[in-house]
Structures are given as C-alpha cells and as structure tokens.
C-alpha cells in the first residue's frame, strides 16, 4: 500500500497516535504491520551529527556556520551547501535535517547569532530558500527553525516574546514564509518560547492560521526537543510531532483525549497524514535498510567548505597591507592561532572529520620554518578541558553505594549523559558517577580548576577538595541554562609530577531538556610575560598576524553574551602588537560583532567567523590573495554594545523581565535602527572591502504590472578579478505609519574580471513596496513615489532613482 491517504486510514487510532511523538531521541517508531519504516532526524545546520552525543560520536564534515553563510550573500552557494549536507544526512542514516536556523539577529548579544544568517529578513529568506532547495532536491527534509520569536537564549524555554503582528509579518516570519512558499520546506520546528501569550507549540494562530492557512503549508511541524507542553492543546493547535521520545504528553494520554472528545479523530488523522507525507517525500515510508552511520571524508566537501569559508571572510579594513606576499618571518600570535575555531556551541556542534587551525593553514602554505608562534593571552570562558586516559564508574542511586554497575573510559572530562546511559544499565534520572585520572602539569604554578554540571559535582586533586559544585548548586548559564555557573578553585602544582584527580557526580531530578552533564577544566593562567613574548615575536618579524576572537564556549546555544568586548586581555594584546609591528593583520573569529578600541591603529582587519573544518586553509587563501575576501556583513557592527537596537533602560526590552521580553523597537532592528536614531555604526550592514574596486552606474527603475524592475551597470575598475554584492534598498517617505528610511529589497552577488562591466536587473515585486496593515489584516501598498537606492552597503549608496507605484492591497494568499 503506497497511497498515504489509504495508508493513514488503515492505521488504528493507536498507530496514528504513535506517529505523533518520537520513539527515542532521534526517531519516530516504525509500524511493521503495514511496512511503515522508521523516520530518523539529525541535528544541523553546519553539518549532520547523527544520533550521537553532542561530544564525540561518528565524525562529520563541518561546514561554515550560519552567519558565515549569511556573509557570503550567495544563494547559489547556500544551495550547494544544502546539497552537500544532504549527502551527510544520508550517511548518518537520517531522513530529516534539523536546519536551517533563520531567527533574526535582533540583539548583538544573542548567543545563537552565529547559527543564524542575518539581521535582515530578506537576506535571511533568500539564503534559507537556497539551502532548503539543496537539501530537499536530494531527498532530505529541511526543518526550518525556530518558529518563532526565539531571538535570545535567556530563559528561552519559558520567555514570552511580545511582538507586534506587523514586526512578525515584516521581519521575524519572513524567512519562514519564503521557506514555505518558494522553497516548499517539508519541515518546520516550533520554538521553545511563548509568543504573545501561548507557547508557540500551542499557538493555533501561528501553526494553523498563519502557517497552514495564510501560506498553504502541507508539511510537518515538530517541537523543539522537550519543547511541547500539552496533549490536546498542541495537537489541536497544529503541532504534528512531539520530540524527543519516549512520549511525555501523547501516546496513551492522546488516545484518551480523543476518546474523551478533547481532540477530534479527524485531527489525529490529519496529523498522522502529515507525518506519512514527510516519510514518503524522504524515502522513509518503506525504508527497510539497516540503520548505519558513516563518516565520509569527501574531497569535494573539503573543497566546497574551503571555498565557502573564503567567500564568507569580510575584509573590514586594509591600508594596502593585504593581500600578503610570501617572504620574511611571520609572527603568528593569539589565542585562536593554534586552535581551529570552526563552529559555535550547542546542538550545532559535531565531531569534525578534521579541523585546520590558522597555524596549520599558514604552515601548509609557507612552511613552519617561516613561522613563529606566541599565544599572548587566553580567551576561554571555561578552563581548558581536562583530558587524558580517564575512567568513569557509574553507580545505581545518587550516593555511590555498592559496586559500579558500569565502567567506561573517557578522553576528556566533558560529558552529556542522555538515555540510554551506560548501555541501559543506569537510570539516567537517578545515578552517581566517579571520574578518575591524572593531570601532569608542564610548568610549575598555581593552576585554576573550573567545574560546572547539570547535577551535583565536586573535584578533588590529590585528595583535596578544590572545586565544589555540590553544596548550594543552582542552575546558571551553562549547558543550555540547565547547568550551574562555573565554580573555580586553585591549587599549586609542580611540573612533571602527576596529580591524582577525582570528580564525584550525582544526578538531579531531570527537568527541561532531560539530561545530565559535566565539564571540568584545568589551566595555568597566562600573565604579562605572555603578552611581552608576543610583542617580541611581532617586533622581530616582517609581518604579524593576530588570531583573536571568541569560541563556541561564548557563541553558543543556551547563553547570551554579557557584552561584545573581546574576552580576556585580547584588546591589550592587539594594541601592543600593532604598536610593535606596523605590518600587523588582525583576524577576528567570532559569531557576531565585537567592539574594536584599537581599530584606528590596526592596518588590516579580517572577519573570518567560524568557517568550518577548513578554517586555516580558507583564511590563508584570503590573506595571501589566492581567494578574494568575498564576504559582506550580514549584521551591523556597532561601535559599542549600548548602540545596538535592543539596548534599553527597561530590562523588559532586553534581556527580559518577569518572564517577558518586549520587542519595543518593532521593525526598526539592525541598520533600520541606526538610520532611525542617527547613530553611525562601526561597520554598516552589507559592508566589506575587496582586493579590487567597483563602480555602479546608470540606475533606472521602471514600474511594471507586477511591481518594478531596476537596471544598473556594475564595473570592476581594478586590476584584479573580484566579487561584489549589488544591494538595492527601498524607502517610502509618505507612509501613513513609521517605516524605515531604507530596507533591503533585492541583491545580487557577481564576480567580474578586471575591466569587466555587467548589467544587473533586479525585480521588485509588489510586496517589496508593501507594509503590513494590522487593522486590515493585509499587505498594503500606500502608492505614490518610492525612492530606490543602489550601492555596496546600507551606508554606501551610490545611485538613486524614484518610481511611481499605484496603491494596492495584497491578499495574504497571493504569492510574492
């Protein structure tokens, strides 16, 4: 039986209900009676981790993170990445990728900005469409997330995002709308938060009236993990699948709700039919192949990731220093120089097939003999993880009583303990564990010990209690807000003398995301002498390259940043190295903006983001001119944290207060905010330098029956081939309500040879001119004269033209 309408009617009520919740963490149950296979999902969006833990597991290709893809402004490249990721998902035995993440950069401090594309809805929507098409044209479902209003990680599982319908329609829902109408996404994931009252997973307005009614969606809506909150309400609202399994609110409870008349049998049939449609689309419906997860290190993936990483790099400043010419000694300096910062933290992280650090990339190009390394300072949030040959013993109960029921090894003192734990021998909600091993210091000194956990923990060194996260444990800002804040201790150790380390752990009653976790780190703080060594290295080299920024400890799901200053003493390090060597390049790796008090003195600054596993190769390609710095900023960089759109004296605006965060700025986020309040950002939205020069000429805009068409010519006037992004902004001065000074409405990325010119045609559909009328529940074009500006950033607009457009009302169901 292959007709899903016949198949759903052949299912019993209990079988239909079984399809509406996970069987385990990553899959839905098979129904062998009718030959229905098992649907499997995997985390994304910068890879496919498979069914393993967030740490370790089968290795996967690590692609550039979302903000890096956003910086490419390249829809075709996003589709190529989606195509490659479809292969990765299949290699992990899955049918569904939990990606892409398209929440908007509302605040510069959101810990998950790295995973999202942009502050701009139109750029985000276009890239999402390309990415989804790449996945789904190859038989893998996208699951666009998080729907909707999840623009902060602070109390995200309970926070009520209070957003006007106009701001939702014009900004926050736009990527989801195009994902449905243009890309035909097969999956949507509801967010954790509340939206204007109800949880999104219980919101009939969001899941049924908007998603299925206004946009005509026929795919599946699944909850974020542990993000559903009810039985009848969520099913009636439009939530198809509760994840993960085993079920908490469905199963027998949902069957009982149907029999009690709280949920109509036809509603259950519709939800089950949606799931069967997804299984049919992805080949899972009759899938009978044995489950297998493979690691596939493909040369074509390495090449794509390297190319995409270079195309994402944004050249922020260049006083003629870049591209570099090989020759002379190069000082490679900074806390990110010998560490491959390839991804952010949280559910997007994975075990990469390999990871190329900047040092690796430069050594491969120049030879190690040409390089000199100096770390200078540290930038970690947590002490470096304790690693080695560690042993963990699990006990029944929380008091270490009796003999261990399971003993295993660990490579490092970092663990996510999800069910099934210890091969099913341990109750994951009621256990204790001892981790033992040694730490041999390389130098004498007072070492810092850091410990945080989801559960009670304490750490002993040579029998002495050094870090206690047991007494007075409370949840904080680690492990998705499920873990305590780091507890720090210090102990003096002698070089070469092994120290015995013991960690004791006891689980707590599981709430929220339902896991236990542990992290223990040991590190020797760097002092003034480390910066002095870096300054000496820089002064004795022809060129100094500084690799600074953050890491996935800072840019992570589950925790917003407290500010946008570079962590630790990095600002001091940069200032002193730049003063020591006028040929210094600063390479930033962050998931968003940082303050740059040293900018005026630095001759060259490159923003490299987290560009995936080929990071070091991609960065070296750009530094030495093998590749163009192809990126343009997808997010405005403010001069200081207080300039950003969510800064307010009212904490309810950000970070939220008493369970509510109010989007008071409405549609005025990102560059719209800076234009409105007259603040000049450090670097504007869309900005990025090239190794060549471009001009724009001849902008002409003609009204048409279906909107307007803009024409202009772009020319490469330099002596190198290069790429640029032509950006088209629209403004309306006479609107009956406040509108931004300008809004991005179309763009095109193009590569040109030296001296080459090309005509670019950009369409402006009726929706480009419209604003959302809450009172009339429609899209409305005021009519009259509209200003069209073309340029290379929101602040570099070189051509302007006006066009007359008639007044109109656009029905919700109309296509763009």
């Amino acid at each position: 039986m292959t007709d899903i309408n016949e198949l759903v009617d052949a299912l019993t009520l209990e079988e239909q209900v079984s399809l509406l919740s996970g069987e385990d963490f990553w899959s839905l149950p098979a129904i062998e009676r009718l030959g229905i296979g098992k649907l499997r999902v995997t985390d994304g969006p910068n890879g496919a981790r498979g069914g393993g833990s967030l740490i370790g597991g089968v290795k996967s290709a690590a692609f550039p993170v979302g903000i890096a893809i956003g910086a490419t402004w390249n829809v075709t490249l996003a589709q190529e990445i989606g195509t490659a990721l479809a292969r990765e998902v299949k290699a992990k035995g899955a049918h569904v990728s939990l990606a892409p993440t398209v929440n908007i950069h509302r605040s510069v401090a959101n810990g998950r900005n790295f995973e999202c594309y942009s502050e701009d809805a139109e750029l985000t929507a276009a890239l999402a469409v390309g990415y989804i098409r790449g996945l789904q044209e190859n038989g893998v479902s996208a699951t666009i997330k998080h729907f909707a209003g999840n623009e902060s990680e602070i109390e995200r599982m309970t926070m009520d995002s209070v957003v006007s319908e106009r701001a939702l329609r014009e900004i926050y829902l736009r990527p989801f709308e195009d994902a449905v109408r243009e890309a035909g996404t097969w999956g949507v994931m509801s967010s954790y938060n509340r939206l204007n009252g109800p949880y999104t997973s219980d919101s009939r307005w969001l899941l049924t009236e908007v998603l299925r009614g206004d946009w005509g969606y026929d795919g599946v809506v699944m909850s974020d993990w542990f993000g559903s909150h009810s039985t009848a309400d969520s099913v009636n609202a439009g939530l198809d699948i509760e994840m993960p399994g085993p079920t908490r609110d469905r199963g027998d409870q949902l069957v009982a709700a149907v029999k009690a008349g709280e949920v109509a049998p036809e509603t259950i049939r519709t939800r089950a039919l949606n799931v069967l449609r997804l299984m049919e689309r992805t080949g899972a419906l009759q899938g009978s192949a044995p489950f297998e997860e493979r690691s596939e290190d493909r040369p074509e993936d390495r090449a794509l990731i390297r190319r995409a990483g270079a195309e994402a790099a944004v050249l922020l400043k260049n006083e003629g220093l870049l591209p570099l010419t090989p020759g002379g000694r190069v000082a490679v300096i900074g806390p990110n120089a010998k560490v491959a910062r390839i991804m952010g933290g949280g559910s997007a992280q994975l075990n990469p097939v390999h990871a190329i650090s900047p040092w690796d990339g430069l050594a491969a190009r120049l030879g190690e003999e040409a390089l000199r390394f100096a770390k200078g300072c540290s930038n970690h949030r947590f002490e470096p993880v304790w690693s080695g040959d560690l042993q963990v013993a699990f006990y029944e109960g929380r008091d270490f009583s009796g003999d261990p029921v399971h003993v295993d090894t660990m490579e490092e003192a970092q663990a996510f303990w999800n069910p099934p734990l210890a091969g099913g021998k341990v109750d994951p909600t009621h256990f204790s564990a001892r981790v033992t091993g040694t730490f041999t210091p390389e130098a004498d000194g007072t070492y810092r010990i850091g410990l945080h956990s989801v559960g009670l923990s304490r750490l002993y060194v040579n029998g002495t209690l050094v870090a206690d996260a047991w007494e007075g444990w409370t949840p904080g800002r680690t492990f998705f807000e499920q873990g305590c804040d780091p507890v720090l201790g210090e102990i003096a150790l002698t070089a070469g003398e092994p120290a015995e380390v013991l960690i004791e752990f006891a689980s707590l009653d599981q709430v929220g995301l339902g896991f236990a976790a542990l992290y223990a780190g040991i590190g020797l703080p760097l002092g003034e002498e480390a910066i002095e060594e870096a300054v000496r290295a820089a002064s004795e080299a022809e060129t100094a390259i500084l690799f600074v920024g953050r890491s996935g400890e800072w840019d992570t799901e589950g925790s917003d940043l407290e500010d946008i200053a570079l962590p630790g003493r990095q600002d001091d390090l940069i200032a002193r190295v730049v003063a020591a060597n006028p040929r210094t390049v600063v390479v930033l790796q962050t998931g968003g903006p940082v303050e740059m008090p040293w900018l005026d003195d630095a001759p060259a600054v490159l923003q490299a983001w987290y560009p995936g596993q080929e990071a070091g190769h991609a960065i070296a390609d750009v530094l030495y001119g093998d590749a163009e710095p192809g990126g343009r900023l997808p997010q405005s960089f403010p001069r200081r944290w207080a300039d950003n759109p969510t800064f307010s004296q009212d904490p309810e605006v950000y970070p939220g207060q008493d369970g509510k965060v109010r989007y008071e700025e409405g549609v005025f986020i990102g560059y719209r905010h800076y234009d409105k309040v007259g603040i000049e950002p450090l670097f504007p939205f869309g900005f990025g330098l090239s190794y060549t020069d471009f001009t724009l000429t001849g902008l002409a805009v003609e009204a048409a029956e279906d909107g307007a068409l803009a024409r202009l010519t772009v020319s490469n006037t330099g002596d190198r081939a290069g790429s640029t992004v032509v950006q088209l902004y629209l403004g309306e001065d006479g609107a009956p309500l406040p509108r931004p000074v300008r809004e991005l409405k179309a763009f095109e990325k193009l590569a040109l040879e030296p001296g080459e010119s090309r005509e670019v045609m950009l369409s402006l559909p009726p929706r480009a001119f419209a604003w959302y009328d809450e009172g009339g529940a429609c899209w409305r074009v005021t009519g009259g004269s509209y200003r069209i500006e073309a340029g290379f950033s929101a602040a570099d607009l070189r051509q302007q033209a006006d066009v007359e457009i008639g007044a109109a009302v656009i029905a919700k169901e109309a296509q763009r």
Side-chain angles (χ1 to χ4, degrees), residues 696-702 709-713 726-729 760 762 787-791 798-802:
L696 289 177
T697 55
L699 174 65
V701 184
E702 298 177 359
L709 180 66
R711 299 173 183 268
L712 71 164
T713 298
V726 178
Q727 303 165 38
L728 205 66
Y729 294 82
V760 176
L762 297 170
R787 182 179 62 258
I788 308 299
E789 297 172 289
R798 305 185 180 188
Q799 293 276 293
Q800 180 176 322
D802 295 327

Side-chain angles (χ1 to χ4, degrees), residues 27 57-58 132 192 199 216 436 463-464 490 497 511 609 630 651 669 785 815:
S27 69
V58 178
I132 291 167
Y192 285 124
Y199 283 104
T436 55
T464 300
E490 293 184 338
E497 293 187 6
V511 295
W609 317 106
I669 64 164
S785 179
Q815 297 296 315

Side-chain angles (χ1 to χ4, degrees), residues 382-387 438-441 447-450 459 461 491 493 499 501 519-524:
F382 311 128
E383 294 303 314
V385 65
W386 170 40
S387 59
T438 61
F439 173 76
T440 304
Y447 283 75
R448 188 173 293 155
I449 310 296
L459 186 150
V461 179
I491 190 166
L493 298 174
V501 182
Y519 182 100
I522 305 176
L524 183 64

Side-chain angles (χ1 to χ4, degrees), residues 240-264:
D240 296 302
I241 302 174
E242 169 207 42
M243 287 300 287
T247 184
R248 298 166 307 285
D249 298 318
R250 297 194 171 184
D252 292 342
Q253 294 180 71
L254 183 51
V255 171
V258 174
K259 292 180 178 179
E262 298 171 7
V263 180

Side-chain angles (χ1 to χ4, degrees), residues 346-643:
S347 61
Q349 68 191 47
L350 47 77
N351 189 15
V353 292
H354 71 183
I356 305 300
S357 71
W359 175 272
D360 297 331
L362 291 170
R365 198 183 194 288
L366 305 175
E368 285 202 14
E369 65 278 3
L371 308 178
R372 178 180 174 183
F373 170 70
K375 187 173 181 179
C377 67
S378 60
N379 66 351
H380 55 252
R381 179 182 175 192
F382 311 128
E383 294 303 314
V385 65
W386 170 40
S387 59
D389 296 325
L390 314 183
Q391 186 179 83
V392 56
F394 294 96
Y395 299 81
E396 288 185 354
R398 297 172 177 172
D399 58 359
F400 310 97
S401 59
D403 294 329
V405 295
H406 183 76
V407 177
D408 210 339
T409 59
M410 301 173 65
E411 295 182 357
E412 57 186 22
Q414 181 175 202
F416 282 85
W417 286 318
N418 293 315
L421 181 59
K425 300 175 184 177
V426 175
D427 180 352
T429 68
H430 198 75
F431 76 98
S432 51
R434 286 192 172 104
V435 180
T436 55
T438 61
F439 173 76
T440 304
E442 296 182 356
D444 294 347
T446 299
Y447 283 75
R448 188 173 293 155
I449 310 296
L451 182 67
H452 58 275
S453 54
V454 182
L456 309 179
S457 60
R458 52 197 173 205
L459 186 150
Y460 300 83
V461 179
N462 293 330
T464 300
L465 179 63
V466 179
D468 187 351
W470 194 290
E471 297 298 327
W473 184 97
T474 56
R477 297 176 58 246
T478 66
F479 290 124
F480 310 106
E481 294 189 314
Q482 309 292 295
C484 63
D485 287 330
V487 174
L488 297 175
E490 293 184 338
I491 190 166
L493 298 174
T494 302
E497 293 187 6
E500 298 292 330
V501 182
L502 164 67
I503 303 172
E504 292 186 329
F505 177 92
S507 66
L508 293 167
D509 292 337
Q510 292 187 356
V511 295
L513 299 176
F515 66 89
L518 173 71
Y519 182 100
I522 305 176
L524 183 64
L526 297 179
E528 179 66 22
E529 66 281 0
I531 291 185
E532 291 174 354
E533 180 188 351
V535 170
R536 283 194 301 273
S539 65
E540 295 168 1
E542 171 150 344
T543 303
I545 309 177
L546 265 166
F547 293 95
V548 294
R550 298 194 294 254
S551 69
E553 292 179 348
W554 299 98
D555 291 302
T556 181
E557 178 180 357
S559 179
D560 276 11
L561 298 161
E562 294 186 351
D563 56 49
I564 57 169
L566 284 171
R569 296 187 63 186
Q570 293 182 97
D571 284 335
D572 188 20
L573 173 66
I574 296 167
R576 291 171 65 177
V577 168
V578 167
N581 189 329
R583 288 178 51 81
T584 295
V585 183
V586 179
V587 179
L588 290 165
Q589 285 198 266
T590 64
V594 293
E595 294 171 354
M596 303 182 198
W598 35 262
L599 180 62
D600 288 346
D601 299 320
V605 182
L606 182 72
Q607 172 60 257
W609 317 106
Y610 304 127
Q613 66 185 37
E614 308 296 324
H617 290 320
I619 292 169
D621 288 345
V622 173
L623 291 177
Y624 284 90
D626 297 335
E628 174 83 357
R632 302 296 183 263
L633 289 181
Q635 184 180 23
S636 306
F637 276 34
R639 293 184 180 277
R640 58 194 184 113
W641 150 246
D643 291 345

Side-chain angles (χ1 to χ4, degrees), residues 196-277:
N196 296 324
Y199 283 104
T200 61
S201 58
D202 287 343
S203 174
R204 179 176 177 81
W205 176 81
L206 185 66
L207 303 185
T208 294
E209 294 179 25
V210 174
L211 181 62
R212 298 194 187 277
D214 293 347
W215 301 344
Y217 182 58
D218 69 351
V220 156
V221 181
M222 70 174 69
S223 75
D224 205 338
W225 266 228
F226 302 96
S228 59
H229 302 273
S230 63
T231 300
D233 288 350
S234 68
V235 172
N236 288 332
L239 186 73
D240 296 302
I241 302 174
E242 169 207 42
M243 287 300 287
T247 184
R248 298 166 307 285
D249 298 318
R250 297 194 171 184
D252 292 342
Q253 294 180 71
L254 183 51
V255 171
V258 174
K259 292 180 178 179
E262 298 171 7
V263 180
E266 182 60 28
T267 298
I268 299 297
R269 181 188 185 277
T270 298
R271 303 279 167 266
L273 184 63
N274 290 339
V275 175
L276 292 175
R277 185 179 300 113

